[in-house]
Amino acid sequence: MFEKFKELLKEEMRCERKELPKGIKMQVESFNLWYGKTQAIKSVNMDLKENKITAIIGPSGCGKSTLIRGLNRMNDTISSVKTEGKVWLDGFNIYDSTTDCVDVRRQVGMVFQKPNPFPFSIADNIYYGCEVNGMKVEKDEVVERCLKQSALWDEVKDRLDENALSLSGGQQQRLCIARALATEPEVILMDEPCSALDPIATAKIEDLIDELKNHYTVVIVTHNMQQAARVSDYTAYMYLGELIEFGDTTQIFENPQENSTEKYITGRFG
């Protein structure tokens, strides 16, 4: 039911285009980012494959979260930020001057480190994005679909009118994932989605992430290398704003090509 909306959205994005290789959903091309005079991202190039999970790992302050926020222009909210390079989504450059960052965020959803439900009902949390974007969709259908996709429906189906803040931390994070799914984005970005959760809630989120790749392209930032090894198809290792190594997750963890990657994975630094 969202296909017509997506087509209209793409028509509005009359920006620079190019044909991406088959199976590539997003392509990061020579992407640089500065906070004032400090360069946080240094000429990153990376292909994100459709319906795959890509994990971004690296020590604190290496640019992981900055990079992922650059994939849907969330950094635009910071006045001191300057960017160079391109990020292609389905062949559209999201950093083209004609592209509306609001349109980008409809197609590239974001889930943050700390669960941040709005202080109103569970159902209204999910429908909020559809409402503010003027999407003419049936609320009950959207709520049920998203809660089922986020593996939360059976736990809250009889509590939809309750305040979302009454949910546990793990439930709140799955609700935030459901909220991100409501506008049917193409890509889901997750910035340390399990860092504030206990092991049981973390396992549920990891199972959910694995399920989501059947319908979405997923990018996850994590400090937990075991988590990256468990859930991702591809892994990117970053250090001091640079993409040091990127490849199949098994290869990165079992046979890294860069000495810096091996040292980080084996715990010799970071």
Side-chain angles (χ1 to χ4, degrees):
M1 59 181 168
F2 288 86
E3 292 306 314
K4 184 176 180 181
F5 172 77
K6 288 181 181 178
E7 288 304 315
L8 289 172
L9 187 58
K10 288 181 179 180
E11 281 299 311
E12 291 174 4
M13 292 175 60
R14 300 184 183 280
C15 59
E16 183 182 4
R17 307 182 187 188
K18 82 169 186 178
E19 186 173 351
L20 297 182
K22 185 176 181 181
I24 302 301
K25 188 66 176 179
M26 295 189 82
Q27 185 178 77
V28 184
E29 181 182 335
S30 300
F31 186 67
N32 297 272
L33 184 143
W34 291 262
Y35 292 116
K37 295 181 179 180
T38 302
Q39 187 167 5
I41 300 295
K42 302 173 183 177
S43 196
V44 167
N45 293 278
M46 182 167 57
D47 288 348
L48 302 174
K49 291 196 175 182
E50 190 169 13
N51 298 119
K52 299 293 182 182
I53 301 167
T54 299
I56 304 176
I57 63 172
S60 296
C62 71
K64 302 185 301 294
S65 294
T66 297
L67 176 61
I68 200 174
R69 289 167 65 91
L71 299 182
N72 73 344
R73 293 182 55 178
M74 191 64 69
N75 291 312
D76 287 17
T77 60
I78 303 171
S79 60
S80 64
V81 162
K82 185 183 90 171
T83 61
E84 288 181 357
K86 300 174 182 179
V87 176
W88 303 94
L89 170 63
D90 287 332
F92 294 85
N93 177 18
I94 70 170
Y95 279 90
D96 186 277
S97 60
T98 63
T99 304
D100 186 344
C101 62
V102 175
D103 291 338
V104 172
R105 291 172 200 152
R106 288 174 188 151
Q107 296 185 76
V108 185
M110 186 90 176
V111 178
F112 297 96
Q113 179 175 359
K114 184 179 179 181
N116 59 342
F118 301 133
F120 33 78
S121 75
I122 294 169
D124 286 345
N125 261 269
I126 294 170
Y127 191 65
Y128 179 80
C130 301
E131 190 171 38
V132 298
N133 285 305
M135 299 170 65
K136 305 298 182 182
V137 292
E138 179 59 44
K139 180 177 179 179
D140 290 344
E141 292 179 5
V142 171
V143 170
E144 182 174 349
R145 171 179 63 81
C146 295
L147 287 173
K148 285 181 175 178
Q149 283 187 306
S150 61
L152 192 56
W153 173 252
D154 290 338
E155 298 173 40
V156 302
K157 62 184 178 182
D158 298 320
R159 305 167 54 191
L160 297 179
D161 292 330
E162 289 186 20
N163 192 303
L165 298 179
S166 68
L167 299 175
S168 70
Q171 288 175 325
Q172 286 186 17
Q173 190 65 299
R174 280 183 284 155
L175 177 65
C176 291
I177 293 172
R179 188 175 66 196
L181 301 178
T183 56
E184 284 205 336
E186 306 285 345
V187 180
I188 302 292
L189 309 176
M190 299 185 176
D191 191 359
E192 294 279 1
C194 302
S195 65
L197 305 179
D198 61 51
I200 293 175
T202 294
K204 289 183 178 181
I205 296 293
E206 289 183 0
D207 289 342
L208 172 57
I209 292 170
D210 186 62
E211 177 63 27
L212 287 175
K213 78 173 183 180
N214 294 317
H215 307 283
Y216 307 93
T217 299
V218 181
V219 185
I220 176 173
V221 164
T222 179
H223 278 100
N224 188 327
M225 287 184 286
Q226 290 77 23
Q227 181 175 76
R230 283 193 300 266
V231 306
S232 68
D233 301 293
Y234 296 91
T235 297
Y237 169 61
M238 293 189 68
Y239 183 61
L240 296 178
E242 296 184 42
L243 179 60
I244 304 300
E245 189 167 353
F246 176 72
D248 178 271
T249 293
T250 301
Q251 175 263 308
I252 293 290
F253 281 92
E254 295 183 2
N255 186 31
Q257 302 301 298
E258 299 294 332
N259 186 48
S260 174
T261 310
E262 183 180 10
K263 285 183 177 180
Y264 180 72
I265 288 172
T266 57
R268 283 184 281 166
F269 82 89

